[in-house]
């Protein structure tokens, strides 16, 4: 009997006036399996005894007092009187110690209430829990329990109390969004949480686990490092090719071939042989400035996204992910750091190499380089003789130095990029998970189903 991917969802709602806890349960994904007979939804009203109702009344009173406090934003100051929370008025306040003790008492009482409800539901339908590969208990609470300005301490009390009843997974939602008495929205929230959790675990295994304990991001971290290293390698190659073209062009100018495109664009018609090195430096600073403004991380991201898409089966907008770089302060700092390497360190290395080159003798008279005819087309130049040999000798060493300067930035940036990619794919996964055989997509982005406001798992 194959029951994987069948999710049990049980919604709870306390009706103190009727003295019951209303429950409804349903199996998602069981409709076309052997567990279809237990799919539901099925309702069960569990009667509450006096102690359980007293515990619920205490929680309600606690939430109401805090919600109606005249100075919600400074409850600590208002509680300095140290008076205990009483049933006679809604303007009494607790000290921090008294509040903690009062919450402990509420938690114990709610623990007995939820244990009674969970036991009754399990006893009423054991086959439901045998059929489910995982189950979530969704507790529907009144608005006041969410609005109490106590940093959600009361929500945590509910969650812990329900966990101690042996539920395994607890979700807490606002009850006024649920479609009572069926509470179908709450059931869907529970099933969605389990489906997303399983899909996230599978995606985690695909993107991270295959790498093993290399680092926290596993294979994804390795791919991020590799993509950044490749981007730096390509950048270094591009820089060297640009430098060699600039050197070859300037050498041709010295041989009397005419004006190079860069000299023509900058109206550098006169030749001073002593300025050749500075002309190359100016050209490279312009080229590197353009390269600096193109995000090297953005280039690497495209390769990482392709890899993650293939493994996860999810489709993520590359442009969105690249733009997300600017929203992350740490990654924005990495972009700046990489730009600084290109704008500051690369010119220094290239300037040193340029000044050591054996330049050919200048043939045009100094200061009298005459521009060629307007129709003259500049042909790609090739270094010759000693200059060509010097460039060939310098290239391997320069490539290693330029690439090494870039790789210094990789170790810090790679895990942050891996986290950004994983976070984005996880978000896309949540949007893609679809629960419901009626063909209705219960994606949080497109329905009124509430966001998960509290989760507790054992």
């Amino acid at each position: 009997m194959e029951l994987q991917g069948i999710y049990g969802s049980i919604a709870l709602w306390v009706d103190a006036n009727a003295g019951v806890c209303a429950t409804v349960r349903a199996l998602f994904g069981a409709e076309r399996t052997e567990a279809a007979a237990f799919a539901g939804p099925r309702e069960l009203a569990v009667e509450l005894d006096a102690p359980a109702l007293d515990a619920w009344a205490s929680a309600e009173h606690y939430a109401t007092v805090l919600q109606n406090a005249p100075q919600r934003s400074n409850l600590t100051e208002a509680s300095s009187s140290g008076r205990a929370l009483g049933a006679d008025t809604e303007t009494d306040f607790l000290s921090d110690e008294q509040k903690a003790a009062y919450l402990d008492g509420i938690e114990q009482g709610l623990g007995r209430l939820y244990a009674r409800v969970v036991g009754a539901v399990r006893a009423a339908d054991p086959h439901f829990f045998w059929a489910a590969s995982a189950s979530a208990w969704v507790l529907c609470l009144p608005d006041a329990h969410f609005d109490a300005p106590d940093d959600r301490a009361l929500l945590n009390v509910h969650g812990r109390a329900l966990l101690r009843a042996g539920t395994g997974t607890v979700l807490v939602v606002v009850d006024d969004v649920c479609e009572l008495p069926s509470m179908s929205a709450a059931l869907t929230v529970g099933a969605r949480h389990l489906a997303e959790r399983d899909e996230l675990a599978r995606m985690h295994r695909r993107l991270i686990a295959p790498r093993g304990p290399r680092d926290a991001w596993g294979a994804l971290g390795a791919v991020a490092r590799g993509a950044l290293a490749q981007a730096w390698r390509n950048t270094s190659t591009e820089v060297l090719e640009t430098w060699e073209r600039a050197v070859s062009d300037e050498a041709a100018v010295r041989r009397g071939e005419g004006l190079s495109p860069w000299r023509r664009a900058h109206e550098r018609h006169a030749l001073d042989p002593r300025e050749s090195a500075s002309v190359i430096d100016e050209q490279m600073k312009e080229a590197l400035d353009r390269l600096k403004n193109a995000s090297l991380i953005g280039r690497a991201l495209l390769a990482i996204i392709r890899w993650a898409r293939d493994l996860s089966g999810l489709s993520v907008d590359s442009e969105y992910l690249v733009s997300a770089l600017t929203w992350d302060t740490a990654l924005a700092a990495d972009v700046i750091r990489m730009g600084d390497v290109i704008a500051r360190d690369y010119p220094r290395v290239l300037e040193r190499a340029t000044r050591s080159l054996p330049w050919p003798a200048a043939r045009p008279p100094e200061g009298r380089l005459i521009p060629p005819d307007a129709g003259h087309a500049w042909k790609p130049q090739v270094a010759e003789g000693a200059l060509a040999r010097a460039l060939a000798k310098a290239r391997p060493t320069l490539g290693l130095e330029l690439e090494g300067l870039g790789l210094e930035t990789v170790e810090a940036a790679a895990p942050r990029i891996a986290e950004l990619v994983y976070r984005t794919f996880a978000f896309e996964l949540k949007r893609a998970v679809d629960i419901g055989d009626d063909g209705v997509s219960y994606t949080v982005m497109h329905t009124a189903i509430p966001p998960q406001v509290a989760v507790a798992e054992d």
Side-chain angles (χ1 to χ4, degrees):
M1 185 174 179
E2 179 58 49
L3 298 178
Q4 294 301 311
I6 298 178
Y7 302 116
S9 186
I10 307 97
L12 315 175
W13 178 71
V14 173
D15 184 350
N17 293 329
V20 300
C21 179
T23 75
V24 60
R25 61 191 180 276
L27 288 176
F28 288 77
E31 289 75 7
R32 286 180 284 275
T33 72
E34 297 177 55
F38 315 116
R42 298 181 180 180
E43 298 181 20
L44 175 68
V46 181
E47 291 188 9
L48 302 178
D49 57 15
L53 291 172
D54 287 343
W56 183 261
S58 296
E60 289 275 80
H61 184 66
Y62 179 89
T64 302
V65 167
L66 291 185
Q67 188 179 23
N68 293 338
Q71 293 181 340
R72 296 187 189 182
S73 62
N74 196 357
L75 185 58
T76 302
E77 179 181 345
S79 64
S80 59
S81 63
R83 286 179 289 172
L85 185 68
D88 297 332
T89 177
E90 293 187 347
T91 59
D92 292 330
F93 297 99
L94 292 169
S95 67
D96 289 342
E97 293 79 8
Q98 290 170 322
K99 186 163 64 171
Y102 194 82
L103 284 171
D104 285 343
I106 293 175
E107 186 172 335
Q108 292 176 15
L110 290 176
R112 290 188 291 270
L113 185 160
Y114 294 137
R116 179 184 183 91
V117 173
V118 170
V121 174
R122 288 188 179 278
D125 196 356
H127 294 94
F128 174 92
F129 295 95
W130 296 340
S133 58
S135 296
W137 297 72
V138 185
L139 179 61
C140 305
L141 293 179
D143 284 335
H145 292 238
F146 287 83
D147 295 338
D150 60 353
D151 195 26
R152 295 191 171 176
L154 187 56
L155 300 184
N156 293 331
V157 163
H158 281 288
R160 288 194 301 266
L162 191 47
L163 274 180
R164 275 204 294 271
T167 54
T169 298
V170 172
L171 308 179
V172 183
V173 298
V174 183
D175 71 356
D176 61 7
V177 303
C178 298
E179 301 170 15
L180 299 173
S182 66
M183 295 188 280
S184 60
L187 292 175
T188 303
V189 169
R192 275 189 54 82
H193 169 73
L194 296 175
E196 290 170 5
R197 186 187 65 182
D198 283 1
E199 285 298 325
L200 190 62
R202 280 190 283 270
M203 189 177 75
H204 188 278
R205 288 196 298 271
R206 294 187 195 112
L207 300 186
I208 296 176
R211 174 64 178 171
R214 169 62 177 85
D215 58 29
W217 295 104
L220 179 57
V223 168
R225 284 191 296 274
L228 281 173
Q230 186 179 67
W232 274 116
R233 188 173 301 114
N234 294 340
T235 298
S236 300
T237 299
E238 182 180 343
V239 167
L240 279 179
E241 290 174 350
T242 303
W243 176 71
E244 289 179 347
R245 284 196 302 271
V247 169
S248 298
D249 283 355
E250 182 64 15
V253 171
R254 295 173 66 98
R255 293 195 304 267
E257 299 290 337
L259 279 177
S260 66
W262 186 87
R263 278 181 171 271
R264 179 185 294 277
H266 292 75
E267 298 183 354
R268 302 286 286 272
H269 293 208
L271 173 66
D272 183 342
R274 296 166 298 182
E275 292 181 347
S276 287
S278 63
V279 166
I280 302 301
D281 292 343
E282 288 181 45
Q283 291 185 63
M284 292 311 301
K285 286 177 181 177
E286 288 182 8
L288 292 173
D289 190 56
R290 290 191 297 270
L291 191 61
K292 177 194 70 173
N293 293 330
S295 172
L296 186 141
I297 291 183
R299 297 182 182 182
L301 262 178
L302 298 178
I304 302 170
I305 292 170
R306 285 193 297 270
W307 176 84
R309 279 175 175 169
D310 290 343
L311 263 69
S312 68
L314 294 171
S315 178
V316 171
D317 184 359
S318 302
E319 293 184 4
Y320 165 79
L321 198 50
V322 171
S323 67
L325 287 172
T326 60
W327 308 334
D328 189 302
T329 304
L331 277 172
D334 289 327
V335 172
I336 294 172
R337 193 175 301 112
M338 291 177 179
D340 286 344
V341 170
I342 294 174
R344 180 194 61 222
D345 297 334
Y346 275 24
R348 174 178 51 80
V349 172
L350 295 173
E351 181 181 3
R352 185 181 67 237
T354 300
R355 297 189 182 281
S356 66
L357 292 174
W359 290 101
R363 292 180 183 176
E366 181 178 329
R368 293 185 58 193
L369 181 64
I370 306 301
D373 296 337
H376 178 76
W378 181 265
K379 298 178 182 178
Q381 300 296 318
V382 178
E384 301 174 351
L387 180 61
R389 291 190 293 273
L391 290 175
K393 182 179 179 181
R395 185 181 181 89
T397 303
L398 285 176
L400 290 175
E401 188 169 0
L402 294 178
E403 190 174 334
L405 287 169
L407 291 179
E408 291 177 358
T409 66
V410 169
E411 283 301 319
R416 286 196 276 267
I417 291 178
E419 181 181 4
L420 172 66
V421 171
Y422 187 78
R423 190 170 64 237
T424 305
F425 272 76
F427 176 76
E428 187 63 30
L429 182 151
K430 289 186 175 184
R431 298 208 313 159
V433 170
D434 187 6
I435 294 295
D437 289 326
D438 54 1
V440 177
S441 174
Y442 291 103
T443 304
V444 173
M445 297 290 289
H446 302 103
T447 74
I449 294 176
Q452 210 167 277
V453 294
V455 179
E457 297 186 79
D458 58 0

